[in-house]
């Protein structure tokens, strides 16, 4: 899909200076707290507007499912774009934060077929990392490197709310020597790290994961990661081991489409974790 590739390049040129401009002036940035206790900044709104306008220029008549829309956005074309303008706003508004990104995912017949991720400061010396998927998966213009396989998870992203208690499966993961990340940053970046080796691009290679798990995941936090997992030969399922795809029209028309559970990563690790969840729930 060469036209989608052109859109991804256009978004790089548009979003990098826009996001850098807001990051250079964080002290003046307007930030509000939404009903779910997540943050919303003026940068989120401006970035979402810029993304949607760029997509409309390239693909008129598209339909959008976007995180920060107060009302249903117009458009009822065949192409559906899932937009998260800034995934990881709490990191974006923190001067030392790096774990944030802009995300776009293209759905056709309810299935992800292309995705865009821009992490403006994740690379070495806070340089950008771009992930373009439209056929091949490219990281900063080069073919994405897959991760090594593992029968059981060595590292896992199992993030949860700051004040929530540890869950039973965390004990089971620790028992097999799995190192866990529990602090929520960007869910998309954590999902990317379950399927793409970013160690050549970022200063945090230890943040690669064999497994990602998140309950009650909004579609804009998960769609691109699910698509990239499939494109890179990994897998993504719900808590019962069933693929969430295709995403139905009724699901996408909800105000906040939400996956009850998302599990992604190495196929063997995902199967192992699905069985672990089933055992813990039957007990």
């Amino acid at each position: 899909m060469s036209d989608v590739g052109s859109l991804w390049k256009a978004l790089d040129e548009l979003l990098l200076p826009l996001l850098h401009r807001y990051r250079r002036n964080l002290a003046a940035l307007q930030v509000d707290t939404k009903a779910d206790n997540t943050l919303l900044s003026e940068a989120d709104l401006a970035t979402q507007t810029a993304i949607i306008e760029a997509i409309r220029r390239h693909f008129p008549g598209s339909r959008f499912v976007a995180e920060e829309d107060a009302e249903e956005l117009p458009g009822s074309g065949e192409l559906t774009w899932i937009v998260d303008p800034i995934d990881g706003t709490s990191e974006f508004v923190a001067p030392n934060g790096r774990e944030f990104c802009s995300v776009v995912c293209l759905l056709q017949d309810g299935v992800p077929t292309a995705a865009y991720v821009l992490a403006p400061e994740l690379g070495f010396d806070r340089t950008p990392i771009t992930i373009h998927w439209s056929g091949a998966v490219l990281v900063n213009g080069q073919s994405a490197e897959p991760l090594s396989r593992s029968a059981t998870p060595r590292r896992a992203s199992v993030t949860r709310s700051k004040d929530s208690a540890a869950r039973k499966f965390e004990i089971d993961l620790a028992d097999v020597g799995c190192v866990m990340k529990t602090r929520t940053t960007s869910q998309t970046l954590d999902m990317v790290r379950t399927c793409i080796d970013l160690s050549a691009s970022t200063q945090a290679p230890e943040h690669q994961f064999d497994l990602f798990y998140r309950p009650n995941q909004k579609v804009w936090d998960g769609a691109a990661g699910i698509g990239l997992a499939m494109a890179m030969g990994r897998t993504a399922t719900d808590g019962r081991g069933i693929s969430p795809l295709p995403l139905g029209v009724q699901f996408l028309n909800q105000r906040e489409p939400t996956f009850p559970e998302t599990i992604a990563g190495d196929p063997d690790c995902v199967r192992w974790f699905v069985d672990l969840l089933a055992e813990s729930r039957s007990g």
Side-chain angles (χ1 to χ4, degrees):
M1 299 182 70
S2 59
D3 287 343
V4 175
S6 298
L7 170 63
W8 295 163
K9 292 178 182 178
L11 287 177
D12 284 343
E13 295 174 0
L14 177 69
L15 298 183
L16 272 170
L18 176 65
L19 294 169
H20 284 323
R21 187 163 66 247
Y22 281 108
R23 284 282 290 169
R24 286 194 298 267
N25 197 23
L26 287 178
L29 186 67
Q30 180 178 339
V31 181
D32 298 313
T33 302
K34 297 189 288 188
D36 62 358
N37 289 323
T38 59
L39 299 181
L40 171 64
S41 76
E42 59 182 300
D44 291 87
L45 300 175
T47 303
Q48 178 165 297
T49 297
I51 290 171
I52 289 174
E53 289 179 350
I55 293 172
R56 283 186 174 142
R57 285 194 294 271
H58 284 76
F59 297 94
S62 291
R63 180 180 184 275
F64 297 93
V65 179
E67 179 172 12
E68 310 304 351
D69 57 325
E71 302 174 356
E72 183 178 354
L73 293 169
S76 57
E78 293 181 356
L79 300 181
T80 298
W81 305 83
I82 307 229
V83 177
D84 191 347
I86 301 177
D87 181 18
T89 302
S90 61
E91 285 277 304
F92 181 84
V93 302
N96 294 325
R98 297 175 64 195
E99 296 277 328
F100 58 89
C101 60
S102 295
V103 188
V104 181
C105 180
L106 171 60
L107 296 183
Q108 293 182 283
D109 298 321
V111 176
T113 57
Y116 170 87
V117 181
L118 168 62
E121 299 180 27
L122 190 65
F124 291 110
D125 298 321
R126 292 187 173 269
T127 54
I129 292 179
T130 62
I131 298 171
H132 295 181
W133 170 40
S134 57
V137 180
L138 304 178
V139 178
N140 289 347
Q142 304 297 316
S143 295
E145 293 292 332
L147 293 169
S148 62
R149 297 290 301 271
S150 180
T152 55
R154 297 161 293 190
R155 295 188 61 87
S157 168
V158 288
T159 59
R160 48 183 162 85
S161 301
K162 181 173 62 174
D163 297 325
S164 61
R167 297 149 294 189
K168 181 180 181 300
F169 67 74
E170 294 179 30
I171 299 173
D172 298 317
L173 285 169
D175 285 344
V176 298
C178 179
V179 178
M180 287 168 279
K181 177 193 174 191
T182 58
R183 186 176 77 87
T184 301
T185 51
S186 162
Q187 294 179 47
T188 297
L189 289 180
D190 281 3
M191 295 185 79
V192 163
R193 289 175 172 129
T194 67
C195 60
I196 298 174
D197 186 352
L198 295 181
S199 60
S201 304
T202 178
Q203 293 171 315
E206 72 276 9
H207 288 167
Q208 302 285 171
F209 304 112
D210 298 307
L211 180 73
F212 172 92
Y213 171 75
R214 182 76 182 192
N216 302 317
Q217 186 186 45
K218 302 294 191 300
V219 69
W220 39 77
D221 291 323
I226 290 170
L228 287 167
M230 308 303 288
M232 293 299 296
R234 310 295 258 190
T235 193
T237 76
D238 65 10
R240 299 170 296 166
I242 300 171
S243 171
L245 304 176
L247 305 180
V249 172
Q250 185 175 1
F251 173 76
L252 293 171
N253 281 337
Q254 297 175 24
R255 174 64 188 87
E256 291 190 336
T258 302
F259 301 117
E261 290 177 294
T262 301
I263 307 171
D266 182 288
D268 290 337
C269 292
V270 169
R271 283 191 290 269
W272 179 87
F273 189 70
V274 168
D275 291 342
L276 179 65
L277 287 180
E279 290 175 9
S280 66
R281 287 164 181 170
S282 63

